[in-house]
């Protein structure tokens, strides 16, 4: 799921991440459409394939977030959506005649786009992350990082990290879920040095030194998206897709979903009747997450 | 001139009295071509004033741009950045600075609005700004209506630079609301901040979108005046095509191809501030300072201020009752006005007198106290001295007295 105010390059980045047009860019919106009055949630599903491995990817976009004059509680529709997905999964799980593969529409990862003001996090950012770090894995990302010079970038990152710490906001990878020492050191390194990732997205290609690269062309130079000296897009991509994709799913299933489930069952003392539940004996939770790749 | 010719000329003049007057060719050098020089000298002596307001969310580079525009550090790097002063309500702060160039003095007032658009709920964040502008107009109106108006300080906001975040999509609802409410009160010049975020194509599209939305909502931004000069008109048209201006601010100097320029250093190149192909900063500077500053002041004076004034006075006369804060300085006759001013003056004098008397009394008391203290001290000292002197005397006298019987006996003895 990608979150952040409009104009931060979310759709472009998602397209770049998956190297295909998986997200309808806002510029292809009908320009006559006004900024929506309430936060909308648009989910688009794709099936992409690489090296024989198929993946069903769902990108959820939230146009209208943070765009209004009064943005109080603009995170509520999003929280509701995430909980609805958990609810759907829970209902399926608790069924007597369960499907072999429960369709998993839960949100595994939320990319939160921070505006590159160069000063600090906005109150809206803090509020949102505070509410949602408990229900979903949040990965903060600094959008449009080509606005900042190198010094400004490192200063800003430090300040953001400090503010998140001061406000007690746990972003993915959460410290408490590191299982072994290897994971811990690796994740610590990522947490202290690279996060939040400062990214630049682009789906246009240019020639640089004989190679064709994705980038942005400005009168004073070409910003290469995959060049680590220019921005940290490559780090983000490796982090989310190549190394931590499975972990994201596991944390969502084992921790966030379980928290939701426990809360739900405690509140109701069991699911409402008609769900096929006899007594309070619940079927055991499957040991491995239901694979979404088919 | 003969009588008949004179009368004919008089007739002509009376016929043309309603128009500007006939254009007459001079037959020699009269010398009023020197008038502009006189005006120039007087204005330079008097100095110029300009009030500029900057509005926009924090982190858009407003302070940097002001520093770049006027090539001075009006906002020093130690000036607490917005991160240190996120406030719950919008503040309006003004800072004055006097800058000189080529013998010409400019008293520049920068009005800043920290906290604008930063909160989660930004409804009515424009209200403090509107109140500020109105209060400046009101001050000027009152100053203008006084009987004695030798000094009329002009603090009216002459230009408002509105910073738009470079999202690339369009105006935000907050931008539209703000501009709709302020376009009748002040000259608004919208700027795209941090323009080095956008590539040239994105910038073009963004500008088009913004201008479309501005027209849709019937927002009246500052219009550049058309002149009779063809050359100037071409320039003006070029500026109009590039509205809103996309600016980049920086005061750090970087070497590029052997030249020292102001810019921002990125790993992929240097974005130059004064390069016309990189951003519109030079256009903004030329327009704001070199060519249109006087026009901005004129439009503020003739249009915005007059609007305010007529609205204010119409409200008063319509109601018949004074419902403005300043009790009807505008509706009394000059004599009554003079009376009131005199009374005011007298009251002020009285107050000053009282204050001075109080201060005087206080000082007197202090002095008296001091004197007393020093007297007491002196007394003490004198006492001591006296004692010092007396004591030996006393002791010797005691000794003498004590020994008197002995002496008398000796005396008696000897007698």
């Amino acid at each position: 799921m990608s979150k952040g105010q409009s104009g931060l390059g979310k759709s472009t980045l998602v397209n770049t991440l998956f190297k295909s047009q998986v997200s309808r860019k806002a510029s292809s919106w009908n320009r006559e459409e006004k900024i929506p009055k309430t936060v909308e949630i648009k989910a688009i599903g794709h099936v992409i394939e690489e090296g024989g491995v198929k993946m069903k990817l769902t990108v959820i976009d939230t146009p209208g977030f943070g765009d209004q004059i009064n943005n109080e509680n603009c995170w509520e529709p999003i929280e509701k959506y995430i909980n609805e997905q958990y609810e759907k999964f829970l209902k399926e799980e608790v069924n007597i005649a369960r499907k072999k593969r429960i369709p998993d529409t839960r949100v595994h990862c939320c990319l939160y786009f921070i505006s590159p003001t160069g000063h600090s996090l906005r109150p809206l950012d803090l509020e949102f992350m505070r509410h949602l770090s408990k229900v979903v894995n949040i990965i903060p990302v600094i959008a449009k990082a080509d606005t900042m010079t190198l010094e400004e970038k490192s200063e800003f990152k430090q300040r953001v990290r400090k503010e998140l710490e001061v406000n007690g906001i746990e972003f993915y990878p959460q410290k408490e879920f590191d299982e072994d020492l290897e994971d811990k050191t690796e994740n610590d390194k990522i947490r202290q040095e690279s996060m939040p990732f400062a990214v630049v997205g682009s789906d246009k290609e240019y020639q640089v030194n004989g190679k064709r690269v994705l980038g942005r062309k400005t009168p004073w130079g070409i910003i290469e998206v995959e060049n680590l000296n220019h921005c940290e897009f490559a780090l983000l991509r490796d982090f989310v897709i190549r190394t931590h994709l499975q972990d994201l799913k596991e944390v969502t299933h084992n921790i966030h979903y379980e928290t939701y489930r426990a809360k739900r069952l405690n509140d109701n003392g069991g699911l409402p009747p008609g769900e096929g539940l006899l007594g309070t004996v619940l079927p055991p939770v499957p040991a491995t997450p239901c694979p979404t790749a088919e | 001139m003969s009588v008949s010719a004179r009368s004919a000329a008089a007739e002509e003049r009376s016929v043309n009295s309603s128009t500007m007057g006939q254009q007459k060719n001079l037959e020699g050098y009269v010398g009023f071509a020197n008038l502009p020089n006189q005006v120039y000298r007087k204005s330079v002596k008097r100095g110029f004033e300009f009030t500029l307001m900057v509005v926009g969310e924090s982190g858009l580079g407003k302070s940097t741009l002001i520093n770049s525009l006027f090539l001075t550090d009006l906002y020093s790097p130690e000036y607490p950045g917005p991160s240190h002063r996120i406030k719950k309500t919008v503040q309006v702060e003004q800072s004055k600075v006097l800058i000189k160039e080529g013998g010409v003095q400019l008293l520049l007032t920068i009005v800043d609005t920290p906290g604008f658009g930063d909160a989660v709920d930004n409804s009515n964040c424009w209200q403090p700004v509107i109140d500020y502008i109105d209060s400046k107009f009101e001050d000027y109106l009152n100053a203008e209506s006084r009987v004695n108006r030798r000094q009329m300080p002009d603090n009216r906001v002459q230009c408002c630079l509105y910073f738009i975040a470079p999202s690339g999509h369009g105006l935000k609802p907050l931008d539209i609301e703000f501009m709709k409410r302020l376009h009748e009160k002040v000259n608004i010049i919208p700027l795209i901040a941090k323009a080095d975020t956008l590539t040239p194509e994105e910038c073009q599209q963004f500008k088009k979108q913004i201008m479309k939305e501005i027209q849709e909502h019937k927002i009246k931004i500052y219009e550049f005046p058309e002149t009779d000069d063809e050359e100037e008109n071409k320039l003006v048209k070029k500026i109009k095509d590039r509205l809103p201006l996309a600016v980049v601010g920086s005061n750090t100097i970087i070497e590029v191809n052997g030249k020292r320029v102001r810019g921002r250093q990125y790993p992929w190149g240097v974005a130059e501030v004064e390069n016309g192909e990189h951003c519109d900063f030079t256009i903004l500077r030329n327009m704001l300072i070199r060519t249109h500053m006087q026009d901005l002041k004129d439009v503020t004076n003739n249009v915005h201020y007059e609007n305010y004034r007529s609205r204010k006075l119409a409200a008063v006369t319509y109601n018949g009752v004074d419902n403005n804060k300043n009790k009807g300085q505008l509706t009394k006759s000059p004599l009554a006005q003079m009376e009131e001013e005199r009374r005011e003056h007298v009251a002020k004098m009285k107050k000053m007198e009282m204050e001075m008397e109080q201060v005087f009394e206080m000082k007197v008391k202090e002095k008296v106290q001091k004197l007393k203290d020093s007297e007491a001290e002196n007394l003490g000292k004198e006492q001591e001295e006296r004692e010092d002197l007396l004591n030996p005397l006393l002791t010797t006298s005691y000794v003498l007295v004590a020994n008197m019987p002995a002496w008398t006996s000796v005396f008696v003895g000897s007698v």
Side-chain angles (χ1 to χ4, degrees), chain B residues 112-307:
Chain B
D112 197 0
T113 53
F116 181 83
D118 281 339
V120 178
D121 181 1
N122 287 315
S123 327
N124 294 332
C125 65
W126 48 78
Q127 196 58 43
V129 177
I130 294 182
D131 290 341
Y132 178 85
I133 296 179
D134 276 344
S135 77
K136 293 298 166 200
F137 277 156
E138 192 169 318
D139 289 345
Y140 193 76
L141 183 59
N142 290 336
E144 207 184 34
S145 318
R146 291 177 76 83
V147 173
N148 176 7
R149 37 183 209 188
R150 197 78 49 82
Q151 303 154 320
M152 274 208 306
D154 186 0
N155 286 324
R156 299 172 291 184
V157 178
Q158 274 128 8
C159 174
C160 174
L161 295 177
Y162 187 75
F163 286 71
I164 302 173
S167 64
H169 290 309
L171 288 176
K172 297 213 279 245
L174 177 62
D175 300 337
I176 297 175
E177 270 305 312
F178 178 86
M179 289 205 270
K180 274 217 301 229
R181 283 158 197 273
L182 258 81
H183 66 152
E184 302 268 310
K185 293 186 185 276
V186 72
N187 298 319
I188 296 188
I189 299 183
L191 298 175
I192 300 178
K194 295 199 169 179
D196 50 351
T197 321
L198 304 166
T199 64
E201 304 87 39
E202 291 169 354
C203 200
Q204 273 298 94
Q205 237 185 354
F206 191 39
K207 286 185 183 185
K208 255 199 276 192
Q209 178 66 16
I210 291 181
M211 289 314 281
K212 197 166 89 151
E213 289 189 17
I214 286 182
Q215 272 162 14
E216 236 177 63
H217 288 96
K218 302 213 187 26
I219 296 173
K220 291 189 240 150
I221 57 177
Y222 173 67
E223 293 228 349
F224 297 89
E226 300 265 329
T227 55
D228 298 324
D229 192 358
E230 254 313 306
E231 277 298 319
E232 278 200 36
N233 264 346
K234 266 200 274 181
L235 274 168
V236 168
K237 187 157 180 331
K238 258 206 317 193
I239 299 180
K240 282 201 182 159
D241 283 338
R242 298 182 77 159
L243 281 181
L245 300 171
V247 291
V248 175
S250 166
N251 256 345
T252 46
I253 302 194
I254 303 175
E255 284 256 359
V256 171
N257 298 336
K259 266 200 317 170
R260 291 172 66 79
V261 289
R262 284 186 297 154
R264 289 171 63 73
Q265 173 92 45
Y266 292 112
W268 47 87
V270 175
E272 296 171 39
V273 165
E274 291 178 341
N275 187 333
E277 291 171 26
H278 290 189
C279 73
D280 297 330
F281 175 81
T282 34
I283 299 184
L284 173 69
R285 183 189 54 196
N286 293 346
M287 183 275 290
L288 185 63
I289 303 178
R290 295 181 192 178
T291 51
H292 286 81
M293 195 181 250
Q294 189 56 38
D295 186 64
L296 283 165
K297 284 163 77 163
D298 289 340
V299 172
T300 310
N301 191 28
N302 300 338
V303 177
H304 297 296
Y305 173 65
E306 290 301 318
N307 278 344

Side-chain angles (χ1 to χ4, degrees), chain A residues 19 26 77 83 91 95 101 111 117 163 176 180 191 206 213 232 237 259 279 282 289 294:
Chain A
K19 282 225 168 107
N83 285 338
K91 285 216 182 95
N95 237 336
R101 291 219 173 92
L111 291 176
T117 59
E163 280 204 14
E176 39 192 359
D180 49 32
R191 266 195 298 265
Y206 295 100
V213 285
E232 291 163 9
R237 181 200 48 208
T259 320
L282 294 171
E294 323 212 18

Side-chain angles (χ1 to χ4, degrees), chain A residues 79-255:
Chain A
E79 221 178 318
K80 207 166 71 125
Y81 178 83
I82 296 178
N83 285 338
E84 267 172 29
Q85 307 311 310
Y86 286 153
E87 181 68 29
K88 251 196 262 179
F89 194 84
L90 181 63
K91 285 216 182 95
E92 284 293 337
E93 211 182 32
V94 162
N95 237 336
I96 293 184
R98 270 208 303 227
K99 300 203 194 111
K100 196 153 81 145
R101 291 219 173 92
I102 303 180
D104 188 359
T105 54
R106 297 171 297 187
V107 178
H108 297 127
C109 163
C110 174
L111 291 176
Y112 188 79
F113 286 69
I114 299 173
S115 181
T117 59
H119 288 303
S120 64
L121 285 177
R122 316 170 67 128
L124 178 63
D125 298 338
L126 287 171
E127 277 303 313
F128 177 85
M129 287 204 265
R130 198 177 298 144
H131 279 96
L132 260 75
S133 55
K134 312 263 170 30
V135 292
V136 73
N137 297 321
I138 293 195
I139 298 184
V141 163
I142 299 178
K144 295 201 170 178
D146 53 346
T147 319
M148 300 188 284
T149 61
L150 288 175
E151 305 90 43
E152 293 170 357
K153 214 191 294 190
S154 55
E155 254 185 58
F156 186 50
K157 276 217 258 192
Q158 254 183 345
R159 227 174 290 155
V160 167
R161 268 198 294 260
K162 201 151 56 129
E163 280 204 14
L164 289 177
E165 212 183 292
V166 162
N167 283 287
I169 297 174
E170 284 276 342
F171 50 86
Y172 180 84
Q174 294 94 334
K175 281 195 205 121
E176 39 192 359
F177 306 146
D178 283 334
E179 285 172 347
D180 49 32
L181 195 59
E182 201 185 292
D183 275 350
K184 192 163 163 9
T185 46
E186 191 191 320
N187 284 344
D188 264 345
K189 190 154 152 306
I190 296 178
R191 266 195 298 265
Q192 298 310 334
E193 292 173 28
S194 348
M195 287 192 90
F197 298 110
V199 294
V200 175
S202 167
D203 42 11
K204 297 207 179 70
E205 289 192 354
Y206 295 100
Q207 282 268 35
V208 171
N209 297 337
K211 278 197 308 173
R212 287 196 68 78
V213 285
L214 286 174
R216 286 168 65 73
K217 184 152 192 284
T218 61
W220 48 90
I222 296 187
I223 305 162
E224 297 171 40
V225 165
E226 303 206 6
N227 185 336
L228 277 174
N229 293 332
H230 290 189
C231 77
E232 291 163 9
F233 170 78
L235 287 179
L236 173 69
R237 181 200 48 208
D238 292 344
F239 180 71
V240 172
I241 301 180
R242 294 181 192 174
T243 51
H244 286 74
L245 189 66
Q246 186 60 24
D247 188 52
L248 279 166
K249 284 165 51 168
E250 281 183 17
V251 171
T252 310
H253 180 78
N254 295 340
I255 295 165

